[in-house]
PDB file of all heavy atoms in Angstrom:
ATOM      1  N   VAL A  27      16.784 -18.172  11.188  1.00  0.00           N
ATOM      2  CA  VAL A  27      17.511 -17.119  11.849  1.00  0.00           C
ATOM      3  C   VAL A  27      16.632 -16.046  12.508  1.00  0.00           C
ATOM      4  O   VAL A  27      17.078 -15.309  13.364  1.00  0.00           O
ATOM      5  CB  VAL A  27      18.544 -16.441  10.945  1.00  0.00           C
ATOM      6  CG1 VAL A  27      19.517 -17.484  10.315  1.00  0.00           C
ATOM      7  CG2 VAL A  27      17.871 -15.658   9.819  1.00  0.00           C
ATOM      8  N   GLY A  28      15.360 -16.068  12.140  1.00  0.00           N
ATOM      9  CA  GLY A  28      14.407 -15.105  12.694  1.00  0.00           C
ATOM     10  C   GLY A  28      14.586 -13.679  12.170  1.00  0.00           C
ATOM     11  O   GLY A  28      14.231 -12.691  12.916  1.00  0.00           O
ATOM     12  N   SER A  29      15.034 -13.492  10.959  1.00  0.00           N
ATOM     13  CA  SER A  29      15.080 -12.194  10.388  1.00  0.00           C
ATOM     14  C   SER A  29      15.114 -12.300   8.875  1.00  0.00           C
ATOM     15  O   SER A  29      15.528 -13.309   8.311  1.00  0.00           O
ATOM     16  CB  SER A  29      16.352 -11.411  10.886  1.00  0.00           C
ATOM     17  OG  SER A  29      17.561 -12.049  10.380  1.00  0.00           O
ATOM     18  N   GLY A  30      14.719 -11.178   8.247  1.00  0.00           N
ATOM     19  CA  GLY A  30      14.693 -11.252   6.752  1.00  0.00           C
ATOM     20  C   GLY A  30      13.368 -10.592   6.268  1.00  0.00           C
ATOM     21  O   GLY A  30      12.840  -9.651   6.922  1.00  0.00           O
ATOM     22  N   PRO A  31      12.855 -11.029   5.170  1.00  0.00           N
ATOM     23  CA  PRO A  31      11.624 -10.432   4.637  1.00  0.00           C
ATOM     24  C   PRO A  31      10.480 -10.582   5.640  1.00  0.00           C
ATOM     25  O   PRO A  31      10.363 -11.601   6.346  1.00  0.00           O
ATOM     26  CB  PRO A  31      11.361 -11.287   3.337  1.00  0.00           C
ATOM     27  CG  PRO A  31      12.680 -11.865   2.986  1.00  0.00           C
ATOM     28  CD  PRO A  31      13.398 -12.091   4.273  1.00  0.00           C
ATOM     29  N   ASP A  32       9.557  -9.578   5.619  1.00  0.00           N
ATOM     30  CA  ASP A  32       8.364  -9.739   6.479  1.00  0.00           C
ATOM     31  C   ASP A  32       7.454 -10.807   5.909  1.00  0.00           C
ATOM     32  O   ASP A  32       6.827 -11.554   6.690  1.00  0.00           O
ATOM     33  CB  ASP A  32       7.617  -8.387   6.460  1.00  0.00           C
ATOM     34  CG  ASP A  32       8.436  -7.299   7.085  1.00  0.00           C
ATOM     35  OD1 ASP A  32       8.354  -7.126   8.298  1.00  0.00           O
ATOM     36  OD2 ASP A  32       9.079  -6.565   6.352  1.00  0.00           O
ATOM     37  N   LEU A  33       7.339 -10.891   4.617  1.00  0.00           N
ATOM     38  CA  LEU A  33       6.496 -11.924   3.995  1.00  0.00           C
ATOM     39  C   LEU A  33       7.112 -12.433   2.745  1.00  0.00           C
ATOM     40  O   LEU A  33       7.863 -11.710   2.096  1.00  0.00           O
ATOM     41  CB  LEU A  33       5.112 -11.442   3.812  1.00  0.00           C
ATOM     42  CG  LEU A  33       4.864 -10.333   2.811  1.00  0.00           C
ATOM     43  CD1 LEU A  33       4.366 -10.895   1.452  1.00  0.00           C
ATOM     44  CD2 LEU A  33       3.782  -9.376   3.349  1.00  0.00           C
ATOM     45  N   ILE A  34       6.813 -13.622   2.390  1.00  0.00           N
ATOM     46  CA  ILE A  34       7.391 -14.356   1.261  1.00  0.00           C
ATOM     47  C   ILE A  34       6.293 -15.020   0.440  1.00  0.00           C
ATOM     48  O   ILE A  34       5.354 -15.578   0.954  1.00  0.00           O
ATOM     49  CB  ILE A  34       8.459 -15.401   1.684  1.00  0.00           C
ATOM     50  CG1 ILE A  34       9.634 -14.674   2.303  1.00  0.00           C
ATOM     51  CG2 ILE A  34       8.882 -16.294   0.530  1.00  0.00           C
ATOM     52  CD1 ILE A  34      10.711 -15.645   2.813  1.00  0.00           C
ATOM     53  N   TYR A  35       6.420 -14.919  -0.926  1.00  0.00           N
ATOM     54  CA  TYR A  35       5.623 -15.709  -1.783  1.00  0.00           C
ATOM     55  C   TYR A  35       6.522 -16.916  -2.200  1.00  0.00           C
ATOM     56  O   TYR A  35       7.369 -16.771  -3.050  1.00  0.00           O
ATOM     57  CB  TYR A  35       5.208 -14.907  -3.040  1.00  0.00           C
ATOM     58  CG  TYR A  35       4.115 -13.907  -2.728  1.00  0.00           C
ATOM     59  CD1 TYR A  35       4.467 -12.578  -2.321  1.00  0.00           C
ATOM     60  CD2 TYR A  35       2.783 -14.247  -2.822  1.00  0.00           C
ATOM     61  CE1 TYR A  35       3.471 -11.663  -2.045  1.00  0.00           C
ATOM     62  CE2 TYR A  35       1.749 -13.301  -2.544  1.00  0.00           C
ATOM     63  CZ  TYR A  35       2.063 -12.031  -2.155  1.00  0.00           C
ATOM     64  OH  TYR A  35       1.137 -11.101  -1.851  1.00  0.00           O
ATOM     65  N   GLY A  36       6.219 -18.024  -1.532  1.00  0.00           N
ATOM     66  CA  GLY A  36       7.043 -19.157  -1.731  1.00  0.00           C
ATOM     67  C   GLY A  36       6.308 -20.275  -2.500  1.00  0.00           C
ATOM     68  O   GLY A  36       5.292 -19.965  -3.135  1.00  0.00           O
ATOM     69  N   TRP A  37       6.837 -21.484  -2.363  1.00  0.00           N
ATOM     70  CA  TRP A  37       6.296 -22.608  -3.165  1.00  0.00           C
ATOM     71  C   TRP A  37       5.677 -23.661  -2.329  1.00  0.00           C
ATOM     72  O   TRP A  37       6.103 -23.997  -1.189  1.00  0.00           O
ATOM     73  CB  TRP A  37       7.443 -23.286  -4.002  1.00  0.00           C
ATOM     74  CG  TRP A  37       8.137 -22.383  -4.986  1.00  0.00           C
ATOM     75  CD1 TRP A  37       9.437 -22.072  -5.029  1.00  0.00           C
ATOM     76  CD2 TRP A  37       7.501 -21.634  -6.071  1.00  0.00           C
ATOM     77  NE1 TRP A  37       9.714 -21.230  -6.101  1.00  0.00           N
ATOM     78  CE2 TRP A  37       8.527 -20.960  -6.742  1.00  0.00           C
ATOM     79  CE3 TRP A  37       6.209 -21.516  -6.486  1.00  0.00           C
ATOM     80  CZ2 TRP A  37       8.299 -20.142  -7.870  1.00  0.00           C
ATOM     81  CZ3 TRP A  37       5.965 -20.692  -7.601  1.00  0.00           C
ATOM     82  CH2 TRP A  37       6.966 -20.025  -8.233  1.00  0.00           C
ATOM     83  N   PHE A  38       4.684 -24.281  -2.889  1.00  0.00           N
ATOM     84  CA  PHE A  38       4.083 -25.534  -2.385  1.00  0.00           C
ATOM     85  C   PHE A  38       3.833 -25.428  -0.872  1.00  0.00           C
ATOM     86  O   PHE A  38       3.148 -24.557  -0.373  1.00  0.00           O
ATOM     87  CB  PHE A  38       4.945 -26.703  -2.749  1.00  0.00           C
ATOM     88  CG  PHE A  38       4.912 -27.023  -4.198  1.00  0.00           C
ATOM     89  CD1 PHE A  38       6.088 -26.945  -4.968  1.00  0.00           C
ATOM     90  CD2 PHE A  38       3.748 -27.425  -4.830  1.00  0.00           C
ATOM     91  CE1 PHE A  38       6.086 -27.219  -6.354  1.00  0.00           C
ATOM     92  CE2 PHE A  38       3.706 -27.689  -6.187  1.00  0.00           C
ATOM     93  CZ  PHE A  38       4.904 -27.601  -6.969  1.00  0.00           C
ATOM     94  N   ASP A  39       4.562 -26.399  -0.099  1.00  0.00           N
ATOM     95  CA  ASP A  39       4.253 -26.465   1.319  1.00  0.00           C
ATOM     96  C   ASP A  39       5.272 -25.795   2.220  1.00  0.00           C
ATOM     97  O   ASP A  39       5.465 -26.190   3.359  1.00  0.00           O
ATOM     98  CB  ASP A  39       4.098 -27.917   1.690  1.00  0.00           C
ATOM     99  CG  ASP A  39       5.229 -28.819   1.319  1.00  0.00           C
ATOM    100  OD1 ASP A  39       6.189 -28.210   0.614  1.00  0.00           O
ATOM    101  OD2 ASP A  39       5.283 -30.001   1.618  1.00  0.00           O
ATOM    102  N   ASP A  40       5.946 -24.791   1.700  1.00  0.00           N
ATOM    103  CA  ASP A  40       6.934 -24.101   2.487  1.00  0.00           C
ATOM    104  C   ASP A  40       6.411 -23.734   3.915  1.00  0.00           C
ATOM    105  O   ASP A  40       7.125 -23.986   4.908  1.00  0.00           O
ATOM    106  CB  ASP A  40       7.424 -22.816   1.794  1.00  0.00           C
ATOM    107  CG  ASP A  40       8.347 -23.066   0.601  1.00  0.00           C
ATOM    108  OD1 ASP A  40       8.741 -24.256   0.455  1.00  0.00           O
ATOM    109  OD2 ASP A  40       8.596 -22.121  -0.160  1.00  0.00           O
ATOM    110  N   PRO A  41       5.203 -23.170   4.021  1.00  0.00           N
ATOM    111  CA  PRO A  41       4.787 -22.824   5.400  1.00  0.00           C
ATOM    112  C   PRO A  41       4.667 -23.956   6.369  1.00  0.00           C
ATOM    113  O   PRO A  41       4.820 -23.805   7.610  1.00  0.00           O
ATOM    114  CB  PRO A  41       3.416 -22.162   5.143  1.00  0.00           C
ATOM    115  CG  PRO A  41       3.412 -21.752   3.696  1.00  0.00           C
ATOM    116  CD  PRO A  41       4.274 -22.768   2.982  1.00  0.00           C
ATOM    117  N   HIS A  42       4.455 -25.143   5.810  1.00  0.00           N
ATOM    118  CA  HIS A  42       4.288 -26.305   6.718  1.00  0.00           C
ATOM    119  C   HIS A  42       5.613 -26.845   7.245  1.00  0.00           C
ATOM    120  O   HIS A  42       5.623 -27.729   8.086  1.00  0.00           O
ATOM    121  CB  HIS A  42       3.564 -27.427   5.923  1.00  0.00           C
ATOM    122  CG  HIS A  42       2.195 -27.069   5.543  1.00  0.00           C
ATOM    123  ND1 HIS A  42       1.092 -27.419   6.287  1.00  0.00           N
ATOM    124  CD2 HIS A  42       1.659 -26.357   4.516  1.00  0.00           C
ATOM    125  CE1 HIS A  42      -0.034 -26.961   5.744  1.00  0.00           C
ATOM    126  NE2 HIS A  42       0.330 -26.330   4.650  1.00  0.00           N
ATOM    127  N   GLN A  43       6.734 -26.270   6.802  1.00  0.00           N
ATOM    128  CA  GLN A  43       8.034 -26.667   7.335  1.00  0.00           C
ATOM    129  C   GLN A  43       8.346 -25.956   8.651  1.00  0.00           C
ATOM    130  O   GLN A  43       9.147 -26.461   9.478  1.00  0.00           O
ATOM    131  CB  GLN A  43       9.104 -26.411   6.307  1.00  0.00           C
ATOM    132  CG  GLN A  43       8.978 -27.161   5.014  1.00  0.00           C
ATOM    133  CD  GLN A  43      10.149 -26.870   4.124  1.00  0.00           C
ATOM    134  OE1 GLN A  43      11.261 -27.321   4.365  1.00  0.00           O
ATOM    135  NE2 GLN A  43       9.893 -26.160   3.031  1.00  0.00           N
ATOM    136  N   TYR A  44       7.751 -24.773   8.837  1.00  0.00           N
ATOM    137  CA  TYR A  44       8.066 -23.989  10.070  1.00  0.00           C
ATOM    138  C   TYR A  44       6.819 -23.215  10.460  1.00  0.00           C
ATOM    139  O   TYR A  44       6.807 -21.997  10.633  1.00  0.00           O
ATOM    140  CB  TYR A  44       9.229 -23.021   9.783  1.00  0.00           C
ATOM    141  CG  TYR A  44       9.373 -22.581   8.337  1.00  0.00           C
ATOM    142  CD1 TYR A  44       8.503 -21.614   7.787  1.00  0.00           C
ATOM    143  CD2 TYR A  44      10.328 -23.143   7.564  1.00  0.00           C
ATOM    144  CE1 TYR A  44       8.634 -21.212   6.493  1.00  0.00           C
ATOM    145  CE2 TYR A  44      10.457 -22.710   6.206  1.00  0.00           C
ATOM    146  CZ  TYR A  44       9.656 -21.770   5.680  1.00  0.00           C
ATOM    147  OH  TYR A  44       9.784 -21.402   4.380  1.00  0.00           O
ATOM    148  N   PRO A  45       5.681 -23.929  10.715  1.00  0.00           N
ATOM    149  CA  PRO A  45       4.424 -23.249  11.012  1.00  0.00           C
ATOM    150  C   PRO A  45       4.447 -22.417  12.275  1.00  0.00           C
ATOM    151  O   PRO A  45       3.767 -21.422  12.398  1.00  0.00           O
ATOM    152  CB  PRO A  45       3.409 -24.416  11.130  1.00  0.00           C
ATOM    153  CG  PRO A  45       4.271 -25.598  11.464  1.00  0.00           C
ATOM    154  CD  PRO A  45       5.572 -25.412  10.675  1.00  0.00           C
ATOM    155  N   ASP A  46       5.277 -22.843  13.274  1.00  0.00           N
ATOM    156  CA  ASP A  46       5.387 -22.083  14.549  1.00  0.00           C
ATOM    157  C   ASP A  46       6.091 -20.761  14.371  1.00  0.00           C
ATOM    158  O   ASP A  46       6.047 -19.914  15.256  1.00  0.00           O
ATOM    159  CB  ASP A  46       6.125 -22.971  15.560  1.00  0.00           C
ATOM    160  CG  ASP A  46       7.510 -23.339  15.109  1.00  0.00           C
ATOM    161  OD1 ASP A  46       7.664 -23.705  13.934  1.00  0.00           O
ATOM    162  OD2 ASP A  46       8.466 -23.329  15.954  1.00  0.00           O
ATOM    163  N   LYS A  47       6.707 -20.536  13.208  1.00  0.00           N
ATOM    164  CA  LYS A  47       7.418 -19.271  12.970  1.00  0.00           C
ATOM    165  C   LYS A  47       6.544 -18.249  12.244  1.00  0.00           C
ATOM    166  O   LYS A  47       7.001 -17.150  11.962  1.00  0.00           O
ATOM    167  CB  LYS A  47       8.683 -19.553  12.122  1.00  0.00           C
ATOM    168  CG  LYS A  47       9.610 -20.588  12.693  1.00  0.00           C
ATOM    169  CD  LYS A  47      10.301 -20.098  13.962  1.00  0.00           C
ATOM    170  CE  LYS A  47      11.308 -21.128  14.483  1.00  0.00           C
ATOM    171  NZ  LYS A  47      12.451 -21.338  13.598  1.00  0.00           N
ATOM    172  N   LEU A  48       5.293 -18.650  11.924  1.00  0.00           N
ATOM    173  CA  LEU A  48       4.483 -17.815  11.000  1.00  0.00           C
ATOM    174  C   LEU A  48       3.299 -17.179  11.728  1.00  0.00           C
ATOM    175  O   LEU A  48       2.760 -17.718  12.730  1.00  0.00           O
ATOM    176  CB  LEU A  48       3.941 -18.694   9.886  1.00  0.00           C
ATOM    177  CG  LEU A  48       5.037 -19.416   9.014  1.00  0.00           C
ATOM    178  CD1 LEU A  48       4.413 -20.268   7.991  1.00  0.00           C
ATOM    179  CD2 LEU A  48       5.979 -18.361   8.380  1.00  0.00           C
ATOM    180  N   ILE A  49       2.873 -16.069  11.235  1.00  0.00           N
ATOM    181  CA  ILE A  49       1.716 -15.334  11.666  1.00  0.00           C
ATOM    182  C   ILE A  49       0.469 -16.098  11.336  1.00  0.00           C
ATOM    183  O   ILE A  49       0.328 -16.666  10.195  1.00  0.00           O
ATOM    184  CB  ILE A  49       1.629 -13.933  11.043  1.00  0.00           C
ATOM    185  CG1 ILE A  49       2.819 -13.046  11.555  1.00  0.00           C
ATOM    186  CG2 ILE A  49       0.315 -13.240  11.357  1.00  0.00           C
ATOM    187  CD1 ILE A  49       2.921 -11.736  10.787  1.00  0.00           C
ATOM    188  N   ASP A  50      -0.524 -16.209  12.193  1.00  0.00           N
ATOM    189  CA  ASP A  50      -1.818 -16.798  11.881  1.00  0.00           C
ATOM    190  C   ASP A  50      -2.530 -15.857  10.933  1.00  0.00           C
ATOM    191  O   ASP A  50      -2.863 -14.724  11.212  1.00  0.00           O
ATOM    192  CB  ASP A  50      -2.582 -16.933  13.179  1.00  0.00           C
ATOM    193  CG  ASP A  50      -3.931 -17.699  13.023  1.00  0.00           C
ATOM    194  OD1 ASP A  50      -4.326 -17.911  11.820  1.00  0.00           O
ATOM    195  OD2 ASP A  50      -4.583 -18.015  13.982  1.00  0.00           O
ATOM    196  N   LEU A  51      -2.909 -16.442   9.703  1.00  0.00           N
ATOM    197  CA  LEU A  51      -3.549 -15.645   8.714  1.00  0.00           C
ATOM    198  C   LEU A  51      -5.017 -16.029   8.528  1.00  0.00           C
ATOM    199  O   LEU A  51      -5.633 -15.771   7.479  1.00  0.00           O
ATOM    200  CB  LEU A  51      -2.797 -15.812   7.371  1.00  0.00           C
ATOM    201  CG  LEU A  51      -1.353 -15.403   7.335  1.00  0.00           C
ATOM    202  CD1 LEU A  51      -0.748 -15.774   5.948  1.00  0.00           C
ATOM    203  CD2 LEU A  51      -1.178 -13.920   7.583  1.00  0.00           C
ATOM    204  N   SER A  52      -5.600 -16.610   9.566  1.00  0.00           N
ATOM    205  CA  SER A  52      -6.943 -17.107   9.458  1.00  0.00           C
ATOM    206  C   SER A  52      -7.985 -16.016   9.149  1.00  0.00           C
ATOM    207  O   SER A  52      -8.930 -16.288   8.427  1.00  0.00           O
ATOM    208  CB  SER A  52      -7.344 -17.849  10.795  1.00  0.00           C
ATOM    209  OG  SER A  52      -6.557 -19.056  10.941  1.00  0.00           O
ATOM    210  N   ASP A  53      -7.786 -14.826   9.720  1.00  0.00           N
ATOM    211  CA  ASP A  53      -8.783 -13.774   9.392  1.00  0.00           C
ATOM    212  C   ASP A  53      -8.716 -13.434   7.934  1.00  0.00           C
ATOM    213  O   ASP A  53      -9.767 -13.211   7.312  1.00  0.00           O
ATOM    214  CB  ASP A  53      -8.458 -12.529  10.290  1.00  0.00           C
ATOM    215  CG  ASP A  53      -7.038 -12.067  10.293  1.00  0.00           C
ATOM    216  OD1 ASP A  53      -6.195 -12.738   9.708  1.00  0.00           O
ATOM    217  OD2 ASP A  53      -6.736 -11.030  10.867  1.00  0.00           O
ATOM    218  N   VAL A  54      -7.535 -13.430   7.360  1.00  0.00           N
ATOM    219  CA  VAL A  54      -7.392 -13.101   5.904  1.00  0.00           C
ATOM    220  C   VAL A  54      -7.980 -14.288   5.086  1.00  0.00           C
ATOM    221  O   VAL A  54      -8.760 -14.059   4.159  1.00  0.00           O
ATOM    222  CB  VAL A  54      -5.919 -12.895   5.517  1.00  0.00           C
ATOM    223  CG1 VAL A  54      -5.782 -12.667   4.031  1.00  0.00           C
ATOM    224  CG2 VAL A  54      -5.323 -11.683   6.299  1.00  0.00           C
ATOM    225  N   GLY A  55      -7.617 -15.468   5.417  1.00  0.00           N
ATOM    226  CA  GLY A  55      -8.076 -16.670   4.646  1.00  0.00           C
ATOM    227  C   GLY A  55      -9.576 -16.815   4.700  1.00  0.00           C
ATOM    228  O   GLY A  55     -10.220 -17.041   3.667  1.00  0.00           O
ATOM    229  N   ASN A  56     -10.171 -16.651   5.890  1.00  0.00           N
ATOM    230  CA  ASN A  56     -11.607 -16.778   6.013  1.00  0.00           C
ATOM    231  C   ASN A  56     -12.375 -15.648   5.325  1.00  0.00           C
ATOM    232  O   ASN A  56     -13.425 -15.909   4.748  1.00  0.00           O
ATOM    233  CB  ASN A  56     -11.977 -16.829   7.512  1.00  0.00           C
ATOM    234  CG  ASN A  56     -11.479 -18.081   8.196  1.00  0.00           C
ATOM    235  OD1 ASN A  56     -11.272 -19.118   7.567  1.00  0.00           O
ATOM    236  ND2 ASN A  56     -11.235 -17.996   9.477  1.00  0.00           N
ATOM    237  N   TYR A  57     -11.832 -14.453   5.454  1.00  0.00           N
ATOM    238  CA  TYR A  57     -12.463 -13.311   4.773  1.00  0.00           C
ATOM    239  C   TYR A  57     -12.471 -13.504   3.238  1.00  0.00           C
ATOM    240  O   TYR A  57     -13.505 -13.335   2.589  1.00  0.00           O
ATOM    241  CB  TYR A  57     -11.669 -12.024   5.116  1.00  0.00           C
ATOM    242  CG  TYR A  57     -11.868 -10.872   4.214  1.00  0.00           C
ATOM    243  CD1 TYR A  57     -13.078 -10.119   4.255  1.00  0.00           C
ATOM    244  CD2 TYR A  57     -10.922 -10.514   3.261  1.00  0.00           C
ATOM    245  CE1 TYR A  57     -13.239  -9.049   3.409  1.00  0.00           C
ATOM    246  CE2 TYR A  57     -11.140  -9.470   2.423  1.00  0.00           C
ATOM    247  CZ  TYR A  57     -12.301  -8.738   2.479  1.00  0.00           C
ATOM    248  OH  TYR A  57     -12.477  -7.663   1.587  1.00  0.00           O
ATOM    249  N   LEU A  58     -11.302 -13.849   2.627  1.00  0.00           N
ATOM    250  CA  LEU A  58     -11.219 -13.999   1.236  1.00  0.00           C
ATOM    251  C   LEU A  58     -12.097 -15.186   0.742  1.00  0.00           C
ATOM    252  O   LEU A  58     -12.802 -15.026  -0.347  1.00  0.00           O
ATOM    253  CB  LEU A  58      -9.790 -14.225   0.763  1.00  0.00           C
ATOM    254  CG  LEU A  58      -8.821 -13.065   0.967  1.00  0.00           C
ATOM    255  CD1 LEU A  58      -7.392 -13.470   0.744  1.00  0.00           C
ATOM    256  CD2 LEU A  58      -9.228 -11.919   0.016  1.00  0.00           C
ATOM    257  N   GLY A  59     -12.116 -16.239   1.486  1.00  0.00           N
ATOM    258  CA  GLY A  59     -12.946 -17.375   1.081  1.00  0.00           C
ATOM    259  C   GLY A  59     -14.465 -17.047   1.067  1.00  0.00           C
ATOM    260  O   GLY A  59     -15.189 -17.385   0.165  1.00  0.00           O
ATOM    261  N   ALA A  60     -14.852 -16.297   2.110  1.00  0.00           N
ATOM    262  CA  ALA A  60     -16.269 -15.924   2.185  1.00  0.00           C
ATOM    263  C   ALA A  60     -16.646 -14.941   1.115  1.00  0.00           C
ATOM    264  O   ALA A  60     -17.788 -14.964   0.609  1.00  0.00           O
ATOM    265  CB  ALA A  60     -16.561 -15.343   3.585  1.00  0.00           C
ATOM    266  N   LYS A  61     -15.768 -14.024   0.773  1.00  0.00           N
ATOM    267  CA  LYS A  61     -16.073 -13.010  -0.214  1.00  0.00           C
ATOM    268  C   LYS A  61     -16.010 -13.472  -1.640  1.00  0.00           C
ATOM    269  O   LYS A  61     -16.766 -13.014  -2.467  1.00  0.00           O
ATOM    270  CB  LYS A  61     -15.109 -11.844  -0.007  1.00  0.00           C
ATOM    271  CG  LYS A  61     -15.416 -10.678  -0.900  1.00  0.00           C
ATOM    272  CD  LYS A  61     -14.552  -9.457  -0.559  1.00  0.00           C
ATOM    273  CE  LYS A  61     -14.852  -8.239  -1.458  1.00  0.00           C
ATOM    274  NZ  LYS A  61     -14.039  -7.077  -1.066  1.00  0.00           N
ATOM    275  N   TYR A  62     -15.141 -14.464  -1.917  1.00  0.00           N
ATOM    276  CA  TYR A  62     -14.861 -14.834  -3.352  1.00  0.00           C
ATOM    277  C   TYR A  62     -15.242 -16.283  -3.632  1.00  0.00           C
ATOM    278  O   TYR A  62     -14.520 -16.942  -4.321  1.00  0.00           O
ATOM    279  CB  TYR A  62     -13.430 -14.548  -3.632  1.00  0.00           C
ATOM    280  CG  TYR A  62     -13.142 -13.036  -3.670  1.00  0.00           C
ATOM    281  CD1 TYR A  62     -12.314 -12.483  -2.674  1.00  0.00           C
ATOM    282  CD2 TYR A  62     -13.653 -12.195  -4.643  1.00  0.00           C
ATOM    283  CE1 TYR A  62     -12.089 -11.116  -2.659  1.00  0.00           C
ATOM    284  CE2 TYR A  62     -13.420 -10.833  -4.609  1.00  0.00           C
ATOM    285  CZ  TYR A  62     -12.636 -10.290  -3.612  1.00  0.00           C
ATOM    286  OH  TYR A  62     -12.382  -8.956  -3.632  1.00  0.00           O
ATOM    287  N   GLY A  63     -16.336 -16.717  -3.074  1.00  0.00           N
ATOM    288  CA  GLY A  63     -16.975 -17.990  -3.517  1.00  0.00           C
ATOM    289  C   GLY A  63     -16.287 -19.212  -3.005  1.00  0.00           C
ATOM    290  O   GLY A  63     -16.594 -20.364  -3.403  1.00  0.00           O
ATOM    291  N   GLY A  64     -15.371 -19.090  -2.043  1.00  0.00           N
ATOM    292  CA  GLY A  64     -14.713 -20.250  -1.449  1.00  0.00           C
ATOM    293  C   GLY A  64     -13.385 -20.578  -2.113  1.00  0.00           C
ATOM    294  O   GLY A  64     -13.145 -20.200  -3.277  1.00  0.00           O
ATOM    295  N   TRP A  65     -12.571 -21.309  -1.429  1.00  0.00           N
ATOM    296  CA  TRP A  65     -11.287 -21.810  -1.942  1.00  0.00           C
ATOM    297  C   TRP A  65     -11.430 -23.138  -2.589  1.00  0.00           C
ATOM    298  O   TRP A  65     -12.232 -23.982  -2.119  1.00  0.00           O
ATOM    299  CB  TRP A  65     -10.213 -21.955  -0.799  1.00  0.00           C
ATOM    300  CG  TRP A  65      -9.949 -20.657  -0.106  1.00  0.00           C
ATOM    301  CD1 TRP A  65     -10.582 -20.066   1.002  1.00  0.00           C
ATOM    302  CD2 TRP A  65      -8.879 -19.709  -0.423  1.00  0.00           C
ATOM    303  NE1 TRP A  65     -10.000 -18.932   1.384  1.00  0.00           N
ATOM    304  CE2 TRP A  65      -8.956 -18.645   0.554  1.00  0.00           C
ATOM    305  CE3 TRP A  65      -7.896 -19.676  -1.370  1.00  0.00           C
ATOM    306  CZ2 TRP A  65      -8.116 -17.574   0.557  1.00  0.00           C
ATOM    307  CZ3 TRP A  65      -6.974 -18.615  -1.394  1.00  0.00           C
ATOM    308  CH2 TRP A  65      -7.118 -17.595  -0.435  1.00  0.00           C
ATOM    309  N   PHE A  66     -10.681 -23.432  -3.608  1.00  0.00           N
ATOM    310  CA  PHE A  66     -10.595 -24.783  -4.150  1.00  0.00           C
ATOM    311  C   PHE A  66      -9.973 -25.684  -3.090  1.00  0.00           C
ATOM    312  O   PHE A  66      -9.098 -25.217  -2.304  1.00  0.00           O
ATOM    313  CB  PHE A  66      -9.814 -24.836  -5.440  1.00  0.00           C
ATOM    314  CG  PHE A  66     -10.566 -24.218  -6.652  1.00  0.00           C
ATOM    315  CD1 PHE A  66     -10.074 -23.087  -7.215  1.00  0.00           C
ATOM    316  CD2 PHE A  66     -11.744 -24.775  -7.079  1.00  0.00           C
ATOM    317  CE1 PHE A  66     -10.746 -22.489  -8.302  1.00  0.00           C
ATOM    318  CE2 PHE A  66     -12.384 -24.240  -8.161  1.00  0.00           C
ATOM    319  CZ  PHE A  66     -11.942 -23.053  -8.782  1.00  0.00           C
ATOM    320  N   PRO A  67     -10.376 -26.963  -3.028  1.00  0.00           N
ATOM    321  CA  PRO A  67      -9.888 -27.811  -1.940  1.00  0.00           C
ATOM    322  C   PRO A  67      -8.345 -27.852  -1.782  1.00  0.00           C
ATOM    323  O   PRO A  67      -7.824 -27.830  -0.687  1.00  0.00           O
ATOM    324  CB  PRO A  67     -10.408 -29.190  -2.328  1.00  0.00           C
ATOM    325  CG  PRO A  67     -11.708 -28.877  -3.045  1.00  0.00           C
ATOM    326  CD  PRO A  67     -11.417 -27.596  -3.840  1.00  0.00           C
ATOM    327  N   VAL A  68      -7.649 -27.903  -2.905  1.00  0.00           N
ATOM    328  CA  VAL A  68      -6.157 -28.032  -2.824  1.00  0.00           C
ATOM    329  C   VAL A  68      -5.547 -26.719  -2.251  1.00  0.00           C
ATOM    330  O   VAL A  68      -4.528 -26.828  -1.582  1.00  0.00           O
ATOM    331  CB  VAL A  68      -5.548 -28.345  -4.179  1.00  0.00           C
ATOM    332  CG1 VAL A  68      -5.554 -27.117  -5.121  1.00  0.00           C
ATOM    333  CG2 VAL A  68      -4.106 -28.833  -4.030  1.00  0.00           C
TER     334      VAL A  68
END
């Protein structure tokens, strides 16, 4: 519907169901990975 919470802590692959509706978080993901030893593969 395009309205509701600004952000959600959801489950598993929820973001992969509607990726075109989501903000690109690459700056956050890359920053955290570089600062905290990298992400586990999963």
Side-chain angles (χ1 to χ4, degrees):
V27 303
S29 66
D32 296 274
L33 65 99
I34 291 178
Y35 285 90
W37 298 125
F38 291 116
D39 53 356
D40 285 349
H42 294 263
Q43 297 184 70
Y44 27 77
D46 58 319
K47 306 291 182 67
L48 302 177
I49 295 170
D50 184 350
L51 300 175
S52 294
D53 50 354
V54 177
N56 293 334
Y57 162 77
L58 291 170
K61 184 173 181 179
Y62 293 110
W65 298 88
F66 288 115
V68 74

